[in-house]
Structure formats: C-alpha cells, structure tokens
Amino acid sequence: MAAVGGALLAALPALADAPSHTVRPGWGEWWLPYNYAKHGGAIDSMFNFIFWLTTIVLIIVQVVLVYFMIKYRHKPSLVKGKFIHGNTRLEMAWTLIPAVILAVLALASKHIWDRYRYAEEYDTEKPNGNPRDRRAVQVERRLSGQR
C-alpha cells in the first residue's frame, strides 16, 4: 500500500496544470506538448510508435490471458493436467519476436538520436577543429549573503 501511495505522490507534479501555450487541442495536457524543436517531430513520432505498439501488445496479452483464465478455470470434473516437455519452436518464437522488435526500435532510436546529436547546425563551432568537440560552460549564480 505504501508503494502505491509513493507512486501517486511521485505522479503529482505531472498532474499540475500546464502552461496554456503548450497544451494541444484534443488530448490537451495528457499528451505531448507542441513541438518547438527542429528535431522534435522525429522524436515525437518514435514516442508515438512505441506507445501504440506497447498499447496494442498489452491489450492482446490481456485478452489472451482472460480467455485462457476462463477456458481453463477449475472444474471438479476435469482431470489434473500432465506436465510435458516444452515446445522448442514456440519458445524460440516468443523469444526471437520481442528481440527483433527491440533491435528494430533500438536502431531506429539510434538513427533519430544521431540525427539530433550530430546535426549540422551544431557543427558551426569548432573549438579544436573537431566539430564533435563541445565545451561545457559553467554558469554560476551567487545568492546574496553566500560566497
């Protein structure tokens, strides 16, 4: 129960009102805000694809789970099931299909990340002649009474 309360407490900032200029019509505050970045469209598209893919898989798994719970529920007239050795082809399929899906998502995400990270507009500054070399700048703000 404490874990549920902690999760709800952690979610409270997400439930706060969003600024009106960031709220899209339709889904409003419950979905992605407007895209202000040049590379945001690709990132939003990848997010939407992953979201809907996982939503569809979740629904299918839950429907199949409920179906088999009802089909194989306990009945006094049924005999106890016998354990048999597993089905190797089935086990390979349910291992390889998610692995392939994850590999495709990883490669697509890397492609989007590389387009964002190594975009040409960021290559204009070449501190050491290397466009990939970036310098961090520390910004410090001193509050009154503190040193």
Side-chain angles (χ1 to χ4, degrees):
M1 193 59 155
V4 173
L8 289 173
L9 186 62
L12 281 178
L15 299 176
D17 288 335
S20 62
H21 68 278
T22 64
V23 177
R24 287 183 175 180
W27 284 88
E29 297 174 14
W30 292 100
W31 204 242
L32 299 172
Y34 281 112
N35 179 19
Y36 295 109
K38 178 179 180 181
H39 304 283
I43 294 169
D44 289 354
S45 294
M46 178 58 75
F47 174 85
N48 287 329
F49 177 75
I50 293 171
F51 174 81
W52 288 112
L53 176 69
T54 54
T55 300
I56 291 167
V57 169
L58 173 72
I59 291 169
I60 291 170
V61 167
Q62 296 304 312
V63 166
V64 170
L65 179 70
V66 169
Y67 170 77
F68 282 108
M69 284 173 52
I70 293 170
K71 182 177 180 179
Y72 294 108
R73 66 183 177 265
H74 176 71
K75 294 179 186 174
S77 62
L78 292 178
V79 295
K80 188 173 182 179
K82 296 179 184 176
F83 290 100
I84 60 170
H85 181 47
N87 184 337
T88 305
R89 287 184 183 172
L90 181 62
E91 292 173 7
M92 296 268 301
W94 75 47
T95 301
L96 290 176
I97 290 171
V100 168
I101 291 171
L102 287 175
V104 168
L105 290 175
L107 291 173
S109 297
K110 181 173 180 351
H111 176 69
I112 290 171
W113 173 246
D114 286 345
R115 283 190 355 220
Y116 169 70
R117 186 172 179 198
Y118 301 117
E120 291 180 13
E121 65 263 20
Y122 301 124
D123 288 343
T124 57
E125 211 175 305
K126 300 178 184 179
N128 294 330
N130 183 355
R132 305 291 182 246
D133 187 17
R134 306 287 189 265
R135 293 181 189 238
V137 178
Q138 181 177 356
V139 178
E140 184 177 335
R141 179 179 172 192
R142 294 188 181 205
L143 301 174
S144 61
Q146 294 180 355
R147 291 185 182 207

